[in-house]
Amino acid sequence: MTDTAQTAEKPKSSWLNLAVDYGPLLVFLAVYRFSAPAETDPQAELQAIITGTGAFMVAALAALAISKWKLGKVSPMLWFSTALIVGFGALTIFFGDPRFVQLKPTIIYSVFGVVLLIGYFMGRALLKILLEAAFEGLTDEGWLKLSRNWGVFFLALAALNEGLVAYMSFEGWLWAKLWVFLPLTFLFTLANLPMLLKHGLDVGQEEKVLKDEPPTT
């Protein structure tokens, strides 16, 4: 009976994790699209960005509260991401400059990338701490390699974010968060599965690996 109940709760937890990770971004995109002018108008465009940013901040705080309420915890990555969303969102609204909110992902990816690689060279698998997850059977070497891989990937995402900011419109950059960063993260997670299985990951944990992939908002 207990095993059945735990199995039934898994999908709910998985969907809730996805909602917490990507819900604020979807709110940002929806509010921005609703507020954006039909014709080219720099002032109205800026106002739509500011409105969307405000909604983004509120949604991020709501996701933090929901994570604490429903999941009973807030991951270090979510704490850090929410702090940057609120901080850089406030700067975007105060200065009327969307570059601040666009800089947030670059900082998140860069910080985590550097931290994970420093941990790797020190022989510490810091990704295990950041995700607050322990994949059954995964060896210390497996965790270390996973931390290294994600460290490199995070730095690549930081560079990609800066490239998209430089060459795309604000709306194009927002859509890229869904149609570029999210698929890349999913594919990268899948690409790591053979290595994880080689280092002892229980095949029953594959779903958990996909569920616990680091967020990209």
Side-chain angles (χ1 to χ4, degrees):
M1 184 72 175
T2 303
D3 291 341
T4 305
Q6 288 176 346
T7 303
E9 289 174 1
K10 265 192 173 182
K12 180 180 178 181
S13 178
S14 179
W15 280 108
L16 189 57
N17 272 292
L18 286 174
V20 166
D21 288 341
Y22 300 108
L25 178 62
L26 292 174
V27 170
F28 191 0
L29 181 57
V31 173
Y32 168 78
R33 284 296 300 142
F34 180 80
S35 306
E39 300 179 357
T40 303
D41 183 343
Q43 190 59 39
E45 172 76 9
L46 178 58
Q47 185 57 50
I49 293 173
I50 289 175
T51 303
T53 299
F56 190 29
M57 295 164 64
V58 173
L61 290 172
L64 189 75
I66 291 171
S67 179
K68 180 63 177 177
W69 175 39
K70 288 292 188 179
L71 302 178
K73 64 177 182 179
V74 178
S75 71
M77 297 188 76
L78 185 58
W79 276 116
F80 185 58
S81 177
T82 303
L84 288 185
I85 288 172
V86 173
F88 281 85
L91 290 174
T92 293
I93 294 173
F94 183 79
F95 290 105
D97 187 350
R99 185 67 182 92
F100 287 107
V101 76
Q102 290 177 305
L103 184 62
K104 186 270 301 179
T106 301
I107 293 177
I108 289 179
Y109 297 141
S110 298
V111 168
F112 282 120
V114 170
V115 167
L116 290 178
L117 289 178
I118 289 176
Y120 169 75
F121 288 114
M122 293 177 62
R124 298 186 62 189
L126 298 181
L127 187 66
K128 185 175 182 179
I129 300 173
L130 293 176
L131 287 181
E132 292 188 338
F135 303 139
E136 186 177 336
L138 187 61
T139 65
D140 290 339
E141 183 181 0
W143 270 111
L144 199 58
K145 288 183 177 180
L146 188 62
S147 291
R148 176 202 61 195
N149 294 352
W150 274 102
V152 173
F153 183 64
F154 274 136
L155 293 182
L157 289 182
L160 177 60
N161 186 67
E162 287 301 296
L164 294 178
V165 168
Y167 293 104
M168 298 185 74
S169 66
F170 186 85
E171 182 175 352
W173 171 79
L174 261 184
W175 280 111
K177 297 290 290 177
L178 285 177
W179 302 119
V180 177
F181 286 86
L182 185 56
L184 281 177
T185 302
F186 182 75
L187 290 174
F188 181 78
T189 303
L190 284 177
N192 276 280
L193 280 178
M195 181 275 291
L196 295 176
L197 293 171
K198 181 180 177 181
H199 288 281
L201 180 68
D202 187 338
V203 292
Q205 294 292 309
E206 289 186 28
E207 180 184 349
K208 186 174 176 59
V209 172
L210 295 175
K211 183 190 76 173
D212 289 331
E213 66 183 48
T216 59
T217 54

